Amino acid sequence: MMLMYESSNESVADFYAGKSVFVTGGTGYLGKVLLEKLLYSCEKLDKIYLLIREKKNVSPEKRLQNIFEQPVFKRVKSERADYVRKVVPIVGDISEPNLGVTQEDAKELQEKVSVVFHVAANIKFNEPLKVAMNTNFEGTRRVLNLCKKMKQLPTFVYVSTAFSNTNSEIIEEVIYPPPAYYEDVYTALQQYGDNDKEIRKLWCDRPNTYTFTKALTEHYVAAQRNNIPTVIIRPSIVVPSKNEPLEGWIDNWFGATLLLVMIGKGLCRIIAGASSNSLDLIPVDYVSNLTIVAAAKCKGSDGLLVYNSCSSGANPVTFGAICRCFISESVRFKLNDIPYPTIIFTKHQWLLKTISFIIQMIPAFFADCFLWLSGKRPRYVKLQQIALKLNNNYQYFTTRSWLMDSKKTQALYASLSALDQNLFPFNPVNIVWSEYLPVYYKGVKTYLF
């Protein structure tokens, strides 16, 4: 049943007029799109305080300048002359006590900030639990503690992941029980140290430390936010932009992208999973738009709102369809390394290992021998090792299928004016996969190849 939201006469852009926001993770993929969209579509916004880590021999101002030189900011630079004045770098790091922010900067944030977007996270799947806890859990706790000191009772937006609750086949827009209590996690870390076997007992069917710590953090935010209006955004697999700021823009090989490219090139010909499984993709601009709108429409609420930025519940696309598109596009642009790329899906480990060895590793070995004899650098065995590692790392996700509900997200979109729906599209129902998947491939070809 579709939820109903009260319509507001105030536009999303009007909400941000005269306000200042604080953004963590603004130098990351989603963070850059969020930063660009705020500057472009909420032009009356006062300041964007951007948490930036200090790097050796590179000042925060120089890092910010380097960010603005990327293609994603092209339209802002040409159409929003005062964009530089609006962005204020704040030296800090979510992994440090008090975010590593000076007292002077902390005081300014406490005085002026009305909305906090906490996007920063350690997204490595197999980071040691102690490290992942310090960034993903403690980092969020530090940001939330700063929010509690802000005078304007800011809206706190926490960007989590839809895969924090993979122990459920249907993932709804609610807070789930934590896989463990964080106090018990610290007790286990103190008791067992780096004993991976003992530590994994805490995960409660989570596949890695990233999803585990994100699940812990969601529960902590829900329990400890006090009366701060709070929004949790759960993106699924974040993929290139559908429309803005550039069609198909992407700047990293994370998520499903590298595996799909390997399949398109013919370097990966068998994979664990089923062709009929849903692979939940969501364009990065859809996540950014939902994040901005959800914060604006949280105004006046002292509750907790959860939105899944996902496609499988409303507009699913199968793993097989995505692979076929990447193979087709790769052949069309003549970017396949191996003739006649194809993909086989299997649920059997013995078959996966046997076929991988016969049709991938053996040909790669002979191809490298030929390159070596021709005086060229061997490359195919190394590429096969990468393909096999990707297959192993993502096997948990490719062999399963979830239905990620997004009714609240769709209801929020339906509550917007026609103008805001046009300016901030994020309804997954509106994605036409046969049109978007070639955009995905073209984005990879344009910005990563």
Side-chain angles (χ1 to χ4, degrees):
M1 181 176 179
M2 184 67 73
L3 299 173
M4 298 301 293
Y5 284 76
E6 289 187 10
S7 296
S8 169
N9 292 327
E10 183 181 49
S11 71
V12 172
D14 285 344
F15 167 81
Y16 287 97
K19 291 184 173 66
S20 292
V21 305
F22 176 51
V23 180
T24 74
T27 60
Y29 179 46
L30 172 58
K32 289 172 193 167
V33 177
L34 177 70
L35 176 61
E36 195 277 344
K37 185 63 174 178
L38 285 168
L39 289 169
Y40 187 78
S41 296
C42 305
E43 55 183 312
K44 293 181 181 178
L45 182 147
D46 184 24
K47 290 282 191 297
I48 299 176
Y49 294 97
L50 190 65
L51 191 72
I52 297 183
R53 283 183 295 177
E54 195 166 25
K55 289 194 173 182
K56 188 177 180 181
N57 300 324
V58 184
S59 68
E61 291 77 14
K62 180 61 177 175
R63 285 198 68 195
L64 191 58
Q65 182 183 335
N66 292 340
I67 290 170
F68 283 138
E69 288 174 358
Q70 296 184 21
V72 65
F73 292 100
K74 184 178 179 180
R75 68 174 182 174
V76 163
K77 290 169 73 174
S78 63
E79 299 179 41
R80 301 289 183 264
D82 61 345
Y83 74 96
V84 173
R85 179 192 64 79
K86 288 179 179 288
V87 184
V88 180
I90 299 291
V91 177
D93 189 330
I94 63 166
S95 66
E96 295 180 9
N98 299 316
L99 302 174
V101 173
T102 66
Q103 289 186 353
E104 183 181 353
D105 284 343
K107 185 177 180 181
E108 184 169 357
L109 294 173
Q110 291 163 20
E111 293 282 343
K112 296 184 177 180
V113 168
S114 299
V115 181
V116 174
F117 295 104
H118 179 39
V119 185
N122 185 332
I123 62 173
K124 293 179 181 177
F125 280 1
N126 297 311
E127 196 75 274
L129 182 57
K130 185 176 180 180
V131 176
M133 283 293 291
N134 186 42
T135 50
N136 295 341
F137 181 82
E138 292 297 338
T140 304
R141 174 147 67 172
R142 292 169 187 130
V143 175
L144 190 55
N145 286 341
L146 177 63
C147 288
K148 292 175 181 178
K149 297 174 184 176
M150 291 178 176
K151 295 186 177 180
Q152 301 188 43
L153 191 65
T155 298
F156 176 56
V157 183
Y158 170 57
V159 178
S160 181
T161 172
F163 295 99
S164 58
N165 300 290
T166 50
N167 54 317
S168 300
E169 289 185 5
I170 300 175
I171 300 172
E172 299 181 287
E173 293 163 300
V174 298
I175 296 296
Y176 288 89
Y181 291 103
Y182 73 89
E183 297 93 341
D184 295 338
V185 174
Y186 284 121
T187 299
L189 283 170
Q190 194 171 27
Q191 184 175 354
Y192 300 115
D194 295 327
N195 187 327
D196 193 51
K197 185 177 179 181
E198 292 296 330
I199 294 296
R200 280 176 178 265
K201 293 177 181 179
L202 294 167
W203 291 9
C204 192
D205 296 326
R206 291 344 187 256
N208 50 55
T209 56
Y210 171 64
T211 56
F212 173 71
T213 53
K214 282 292 194 176
L216 282 182
T217 306
E218 279 192 12
H219 189 265
Y220 179 84
V221 168
Q224 300 296 327
R225 63 184 179 82
N226 294 347
N227 61 339
I228 294 175
T230 300
V231 178
I232 293 178
I233 305 291
R234 291 195 191 125
S236 52
I237 303 170
V238 182
V239 288
S241 54
K242 181 176 180 288
N243 302 308
E244 298 178 285
L246 296 165
E247 185 181 77
W249 185 74
I250 185 171
D251 73 346
N252 65 80
W253 289 101
F254 300 145
T257 300
L258 184 54
L259 180 61
L260 292 172
V261 167
M262 286 286 202
I263 292 169
K265 284 180 167 290
L267 295 167
C268 178
R269 290 174 173 258
I270 184 167
I271 194 165
S275 175
S276 58
N277 283 352
S278 291
L279 195 64
D280 200 303
L281 308 180
I282 194 75
V284 65
D285 49 336
Y286 273 43
V287 185
S288 170
N289 290 338
L290 172 60
T291 303
I292 292 168
V293 170
K297 297 304 176 180
C298 184
K299 184 184 66 170
S301 168
D302 62 354
L304 173 68
L305 301 170
V306 180
Y307 297 107
N308 288 343
S309 187
C310 306
S311 58
S312 60
N315 184 14
V317 60
T318 65
F319 194 10
I322 299 166
C323 291
R324 286 192 294 272
C325 176
F326 265 67
I327 289 170
S328 173
E329 293 297 293
S330 187
V331 170
R332 184 162 76 94
F333 288 106
K334 298 181 180 179
L335 291 171
N336 51 304
D337 286 10
I338 309 297
Y340 311 110
T342 188
I343 190 67
I344 302 167
F345 295 90
T346 181
K347 296 180 181 179
H348 305 291
Q349 285 298 311
W350 67 269
L351 187 61
L352 177 68
K353 292 177 181 179
T354 303
I355 300 288
S356 294
F357 182 74
I358 294 173
I359 68 173
Q360 291 182 197
M361 191 58 76
I362 290 177
F365 173 76
F366 283 108
D368 274 355
C369 287
F370 178 78
L371 289 175
W372 182 75
L373 291 171
S374 304
K376 298 177 182 177
R377 180 182 296 178
R379 58 192 291 263
Y380 288 105
V381 169
K382 185 176 181 180
L383 287 171
Q384 277 307 307
Q385 290 171 342
I386 294 172
L388 292 171
K389 184 177 180 181
L390 286 169
N391 215 331
N392 183 60
N393 286 348
Y394 292 114
Q395 193 167 131
Y396 178 91
F397 302 98
T398 59
T399 55
R400 291 165 173 81
S401 192
W402 294 271
L403 191 154
M404 297 179 178
D405 178 66
S406 60
K407 290 186 180 68
K408 291 182 182 178
T409 297
Q410 294 172 66
L412 176 62
Y413 181 78
S415 74
L416 300 179
S417 67
L419 177 63
D420 276 343
Q421 287 184 351
N422 185 54
L423 286 174
F424 299 94
F426 59 82
N427 189 350
V429 174
N430 296 334
I431 301 171
V432 179
W433 292 111
S434 60
E435 296 174 2
Y436 171 73
L437 290 175
V439 169
Y440 183 173
Y441 186 88
K442 185 179 178 181
V444 173
K445 173 179 173 289
T446 303
Y447 298 108
L448 296 183
F449 283 4

